[in-house]
Every structure is written in C-alpha cells, then in structure tokens.
Amino acid sequence: MKIAVCMKRVPATDTKVKPGAGRPWIDSTGVEYVLNPYDEFAIEEALRLKEARGGAGEVVVVCVGSADAQKELRTALAMGADRAILLEDAQAELRDAQEIAGALAAAVQELGSELVLLGKTGVDRDQSQTGQRVATRLGWGCAIECAKIAIDGSAIRAEREIEGGREVLELSLPAVLSCEKGLNEPRYAGLKGIMAAKKKPLETKAPQYAAAQVEVLSFEMPPERSGGRIVGSGVDAVAELVRLLQQEAKVL
Amino acid sequence: MSAILVYVETKDDQPKKASLEALGAASRLGGDVVALLYGRHARAAAAKLTGSGAAKALAVEDAQRTHFSPEAVVAALAAAAATLAPRAIFFAATSQGRDLAPRLAEKLGCAQASDCTELRSSGDGKVEARRPVLAGKAYTWIRAKNSTLVATLRPNVFAEAKSGGAPAVESMPAPAADLKSIVKEIVASASGKLDVSEAPVVVSGGRGLKEASNWKVLEDLAAAFGGRAALGASRAVVDAGWRPHAEQVGQTGKTVAPQLYFAVGISGAIQHLAGMRTAKTIVAINKDPEAPIFKVADYGIVGDALEVVPALTAAIKKAIG
Ligand SMILES: Cc1cc2nc3c(=O)[nH]c(=O)nc-3n(C[C@H](O)[C@H](O)[C@H](O)COP(=O)(O)OP(=O)(O)OC[C@H]3O[C@@H](n4cnc5c(N)ncnc54)[C@H](O)[C@@H]3O)c2cc1C
C-alpha cells in the first residue's frame, strides 16, 4: 500500500508571536517552527501500517510549505518515511485550507496512493478542514480525529471520541483519515534514522492550488484579560469569592 | 438579504443546545434563518424550535438509513443550499459540525471559518467571522470573497434567541448520496455525564491536586452545581493516568467556553489556556501567587486546593441551594 502523509511546518506552540508587517499573519522572525504535532501521529500510524504488512508498500510525506519545510520533511524521513514531496511556495504560510487541500489532492492523485493520513488540525490556523476537504475533492471516504484505526483488506474501522462517548465509523479504501492524540506514541528519530534521512529522496514541485474564497480582513492579538484579581488567601477568601461570583460575575 | 442556513443537530427528538446557539447567532445577524434537521426524529425535533430564531425548518426524515452517514447529511445541506443560496451556513463546532462543515464547504467551493467566537454582518450583507488562531494567541476576522461563508461556531459562546414564534416546518426528501462512511455504533461513556465541552460549568484539576484520589473534592464541587458541571483536567494529570483523555482541556484536548471555569492546582501553561481562555468567568485556586493562571483568571484564591475547595463547595451549596 502506498500511503501519503500530509504534513505541515507550524510555529511551536510555546513561541511568542506578534503580528507581521503588511501581512495578516505572524512575524516569522525569531519564531521556532516544528513539525505539526498531530501530523506526527499520522506519520507514526503510516509507518506502523507499513510494518504490519511486512514492510510492503511506501510511506510518502507531502508538504505544502516554504523551502524551510525541508527541515520538517527530513524529520519525517528520519522517523522512517521513504520519500518526501515538497510543494514549495514561499507564501505557503498565508494559504487557506481550501487552496492547500486542492494542492494536496492533486499531489495524492499523481502519487496514486489510496490512503491519506494527516493530523486532525494544524496548530497554526486551527481550522480542522484539510482532511475533509481533500477527501471531498477526491470523492473518497473520510474519518476524522481517529483515536484508533484498523485496516483489513480494504475495510477500515475508525474510532473517535465524541461528546460523551466514542463513535465507530466504517469506511473503505480509498480514504482520508485524520489523526488525534492517543492514536499512537510517535517514535523519535534516532541517529541512524537521521543519517538515513539525508540520503532519502526529497522532491520539490510547484503546488497546484485550488482557488481560495477566503478574504482575511485582519489579524490581531487578543486583548489581555483584565483578570488577575486575587480575592484573598486560603479558606478565609471563600465567602468573598462566592459573593463576587453571585453579585459581580452573576454566574451562580 | 439572503438567508442563513443552520444545521441543527439532534439527540433523539431534542435539538442540541450548541445548535440552538447557532440559530440564535444567525437570527441576530438579520434576515431569514432556515434550520435543517436530519434523521429519524427530524420532524419531532423541528417542532421544538419555537423561539429559536428559525423562520423555517427543513426536516429530512430518512427512515431507510438507520445509521448516521456524514455524506448523507452533506448531500441534504448541499441541496438546501442550492435552492436557498444562503449568505452563510452555520454549524456548531461539535464533533459532528467539525466533520460536516469542511465537506460541505469543499463540495460547494466555499470558504470556511472554523470555531468562530464572534460574528458580524458587513454593510453589503456579508457575514464576517472572528476566530482564534495559534491556540488563541491571536485572532483573525475573515469572510468569503464571493461564496457563501461556511462557519462552525464555538459552543457556549453565542446566546440562544429565546424569543419569537415557531418555524414553518417542511419535510424534505433525503437526496441520493454516495455513502462512503457509516457510523456503526456510538458507545456512550460509562459516566453518561455532561461532556466537558458542553457543560456551562467546568471544574478542572491539575497536578496541584497531588493524587488521583483527591479528585473527590472536585467531584463534590461539580456536584454542587446539580448536573450543570463537568470535570476537566490538565494534560499533566491525563498523562499521569489520573484522569481520562476525554476530560483534557487545552490545545491537545478539548476547547471549552463555559460560563464558569474553575482551574484548581493548574499552573496555566499556554497550551492549557488555549482550551479555556474564552470562558466567561475564570476562577483559579493555586498555592503559588505567581502561577500564570492568575493572569487570566477573573478571581483567584491563593491557597491549598484541598483546604479551599471543600470550603468553596459548602459555600456554593449554601448560595445556590
Ligand atoms: C504540544 C503540547 C501540547 C500540550 N497540550 C496541553 C493541553 O491540551 N492541556 C494542558 O493542560 N496542557 C497541555 N500541555 C502541557 C502544558 O505545557 C503543561 O505542562 C500542563 O498544562 C501542566 O499541567 P498542570 O498545570 O496540571 O501542572 P503543573 O504545571 O505542574 O502545575 C501544577 C500547579 O499546581 C499548583 N499547586 C501545587 N500544589 C498545590 C496545592 N496543594 N493547592 C493548589 N495548587 C497547588 C502549583 O503551584 C502549580 O501551579 C501541552 C504541552 C505541549 C508541549
């Protein structure tokens, strides 16, 4: 089975951000970028699926990103992916899910893979759209936020957590599955993997974007919460807290 | 001004609260609001939309299909959108909404705004949405250039309409659809309790609680709200195996926006804040006065959780009991 894993380069979650000049997104200077954490689950799952089939098939990582995203693609190769495709665009960070899904769907079609894995969301734009859009574009089945995936022949059983329970979805290949934390424990790339990754093929192509309908009007930092009021210390402060919750916040 | 179409989720014959909030948000933007309900109980649930803000409700009763399929609902919404040409289509940002909305947006060639926390109507009648990015560290306002705007709305953020009459209920046949994914079963969690993402009150605990057995004090505090509160947790205690992942609040857990959020023994790491900073009122209890959680909390008590929480529970019981 040829498995395509879509992955993204994103700002690390604990980096401080500030608005960029002349663009409705962050100023990327000094920002640390990493492989999107949810995509790590997708890569790990793809590697396990391949291993469970005696190593038959291929895991190809695909990324819409700037030239810098080669670093994250190499990380994926070091984990064990066989080869990488960078759909290169210096402005990739500004692209909407609709455009990216078009580019990824085209790349997947060209690859001729029948299974696409990716993270449930990118922790940059937090849109949670790409997997569903790629599947819809390709006319494939789709299961999102998978916490468990079982593939038997072409039959897929995917489980996810929903409000107050767990949902079991059945679909079949070809399919797009988005991955949630808890699906697996992603492996670390060891030294051997890192060395091997240097020799693995990384191909660069132009993304075939779909047209975007989105118009970004502004990018702004949230107002600081005015909070920070310490009501008091210990048990003695409880009465005053309850009074404030009742009379000021009116939430009791 | 063209209509706003709202997908209304149902549980048996009840419309879900998060969907009623989406109807409320749509009605405040002006123009007609059309609800679409899908499933065996669609008509019965539509009959419960009095005062929801919907002028019309399309009930797609699909007797043949016993299992839920996202493709079937998307086909019905696409058919409704084709006749209505709505300016926007709203979903609640629930597990169902997160799944359906992008499928529909892609099918219709539309822009989508996910997990919106504010909406407005521009001068020319376009729906504009404010949504958090980078785990709430920043926001963007977006709208669609020419298409309908598909949007999912964060639960607990928008008020229900709670006024107006009953919508005109119309039956709509389920359009043919190529069903690729079928929900085989839904296993309800053992507790059967309110989910942390839906509860109006959330009582969350972190490593400051010291051990799993101390959750009793948080359970008691939650119980004081009589079924309106759910338990939440920091990732540290989920990773430690003290609490299930379903309770985790934060970037790699659930996003919650309750009326009242208690952060007990939680330091307030950026990834935790990502999941709860849009709560209306935040109360922090932490023994360290320098803990970052106090910067986002509306009210804080510096102290030992195991002493403060039982006293708070007693006081709240007295206040609302
Ligand atoms: C990629 C990534 C994703 C993450 N996602 C999440 C997420 O979704 N959710 C999440 O929560 N975290 C997440 N984290 C982890 C996050 O960075 C923190 O490590 C975590 O939130 C800390 O949990 P905590 O506040 O319970 O523990 P700690 O940071 O250890 O804080 C414990 C607090 O308890 C206080 N305390 C101690 N004793 C007492 C007492 N007796 N009474 C009262 N207070 C006491 C201490 O002063 C301290 O402030 C993520 C991290 C990464 C890198």
Side-chain angles (χ1 to χ4, degrees):
Chain A
M1 185 159 45
K2 193 185 273 184
I3 306 172
V5 181
C6 303
M7 50 164 276
K8 199 174 190 189
R9 169 183 163 90
V10 298
T13 54
D14 48 5
T15 43
K16 290 220 156 54
V17 297
K18 59 177 200 291
R23 63 175 200 166
W25 191 236
I26 58 168
D27 179 351
S28 55
T29 30
V31 171
E32 187 203 343
Y33 282 81
V34 296
L35 169 56
N36 179 39
Y38 291 105
D39 298 341
E40 290 182 23
F41 302 119
I43 295 166
E44 178 63 36
E45 195 67 13
L47 296 174
R48 289 187 191 191
L49 286 168
K50 184 182 157 186
E51 285 158 8
R53 282 153 188 76
E58 194 183 21
V59 174
V60 186
V61 282
V62 186
C63 173
V64 175
S66 65
D68 293 333
Q70 290 185 31
K71 169 173 137 313
E72 284 69 33
L73 284 167
R74 290 283 174 207
T75 303
L77 293 174
M79 285 174 73
D82 297 297
R83 61 186 174 100
I85 299 172
L86 173 61
L87 302 171
E88 192 182 331
D89 170 15
Q91 300 295 314
E93 250 195 311
L94 301 178
R95 301 293 178 180
D96 183 58
Q98 194 177 12
E99 298 173 276
I100 291 174
L104 292 173
V108 165
Q109 229 156 13
E110 225 176 276
L111 263 178
S113 69
E114 51 175 352
L115 178 63
V116 174
L117 297 176
L118 77 179
K120 71 161 183 176
T121 194
V123 302
D124 48 358
R125 288 188 190 267
D126 299 332
Q127 288 266 46
S128 308
Q129 295 181 17
T130 306
Q132 299 90 312
R133 283 187 182 268
V134 169
T136 305
R137 253 190 123 71
L138 294 170
W140 293 5
C142 179
I144 66 165
E145 302 166 2
C146 298
K148 205 167 165 188
I149 295 170
I151 303 181
D152 183 7
S154 70
I156 305 172
R157 192 182 149 92
E159 290 183 26
R160 72 162 166 157
E161 270 176 28
I162 59 168
E163 297 85 5
R166 220 160 213 261
E167 179 184 89
V168 181
L169 201 76
E170 286 187 358
L171 62 166
S172 46
L173 293 172
V176 177
L177 308 176
S178 87
C179 302
E180 168 67 293
K181 179 178 181 249
L183 175 63
N184 53 44
E185 205 50 64
R187 67 194 69 186
Y188 286 102
L191 193 61
K192 222 174 112 203
I194 295 169
M195 295 311 288
K198 291 186 176 154
K199 296 196 199 79
K200 289 181 180 172
L202 192 161
E203 189 187 347
T204 300
K205 290 185 186 177
Q208 298 168 42
Y209 288 129
Q213 270 297 339
V214 78
E215 183 183 348
V216 180
L217 303 170
S218 65
F219 176 86
E220 53 201 51
M221 309 308 282
E224 284 292 316
R225 270 190 94 102
S226 56
R229 168 140 54 128
I230 306 260
V231 177
S233 290
V235 174
D236 295 345
V238 163
E240 175 63 1
L241 172 63
V242 172
R243 189 192 69 78
L244 288 166
L245 291 176
Q246 236 174 350
Q247 291 171 18
E248 193 179 81
K250 299 192 165 54
V251 286
L252 285 189
Chain B
M1 205 157 43
S2 58
I4 296 177
L5 176 63
V6 179
Y7 173 63
V8 175
E9 276 179 51
T10 54
K11 186 159 196 287
D12 302 325
D13 60 354
Q14 291 294 332
K16 277 211 173 184
K17 181 171 179 293
S19 300
L20 296 176
E21 293 166 9
L23 286 169
S27 69
R28 282 188 296 278
L29 289 170
D32 269 351
V33 177
V34 179
L36 185 143
L37 306 91
Y38 195 107
R40 263 186 302 161
H41 304 290
R43 264 197 99 85
K48 296 192 168 135
L49 291 179
T50 302
S52 68
K56 189 162 129 182
L58 301 170
V60 190
E61 266 180 321
D62 184 349
Q64 271 96 60
R65 295 181 191 143
T66 45
H67 293 294
F68 182 88
S69 163
E71 286 89 4
V73 183
V74 167
L77 285 161
T83 37
L84 283 170
R87 58 185 179 131
I89 305 174
F90 289 170
F91 295 80
T94 54
S95 51
Q96 236 188 63
R98 288 194 301 274
D99 189 16
L100 299 174
R103 295 172 185 255
L104 181 67
E106 187 66 25
K107 197 177 166 98
L108 301 177
C110 293
Q112 182 185 321
S114 305
D115 208 19
C116 303
T117 53
E118 205 178 322
L119 295 162
R120 67 186 180 206
S121 197
S122 73
D124 54 358
K126 275 191 181 176
V127 173
E128 300 178 345
R130 183 178 193 251
R131 56 175 307 274
V133 294
L134 297 158
K137 277 187 271 186
Y139 280 85
T140 58
W141 275 101
I142 63 176
R143 65 178 183 186
K145 283 181 200 149
N146 302 306
S147 73
T148 298
L149 180 75
V150 172
T152 63
L153 313 192
R154 181 174 288 188
N156 280 323
V157 169
F158 298 92
E160 294 176 37
K162 289 194 170 149
S163 68
V169 179
E170 272 177 35
S171 284
M172 181 181 145
D178 182 6
L179 306 190
K180 300 190 179 296
S181 344
I182 305 284
V183 174
K184 270 291 162 196
E185 57 178 320
I186 290 178
V187 188
S189 60
S191 64
K193 287 195 191 111
L194 205 54
D195 191 77
V196 63
S197 63
E198 299 178 308
V201 178
V202 173
V203 178
S204 281
R207 195 142 47 186
L209 267 291
K210 301 284 188 262
E211 51 186 292
S213 61
N214 288 334
W215 246 258
K216 178 80 174 69
V217 301
L218 299 190
E219 281 162 11
D220 290 347
L221 175 55
F225 289 91
R228 286 171 57 233
L231 290 174
S234 74
R235 171 162 164 185
V237 302
V238 171
D239 285 353
W242 299 357
R243 303 303 303 174
H245 181 245
E247 287 180 9
Q248 185 180 318
V249 172
Q251 194 184 327
T252 40
K254 288 182 177 154
T255 302
V256 303
Q259 293 294 304
L260 181 55
Y261 187 89
F262 291 95
V264 183
I266 291 177
S267 58
I270 181 88
Q271 296 92 352
H272 187 80
L273 302 185
M276 43 64 80
R277 71 194 323 158
T278 53
K280 186 162 166 279
T281 300
I282 299 172
V283 174
I285 299 167
N286 196 301
K287 72 167 192 201
D288 174 9
E290 301 298 323
I293 191 74
F294 286 125
K295 292 209 178 68
V296 300
D298 298 281
Y299 308 111
I301 292 185
V302 179
D304 187 331
L306 297 177
E307 290 168 16
V308 175
V309 176
L312 180 60
T313 304
I316 285 178
K317 268 191 191 151
K318 224 169 102 190
I320 61 182

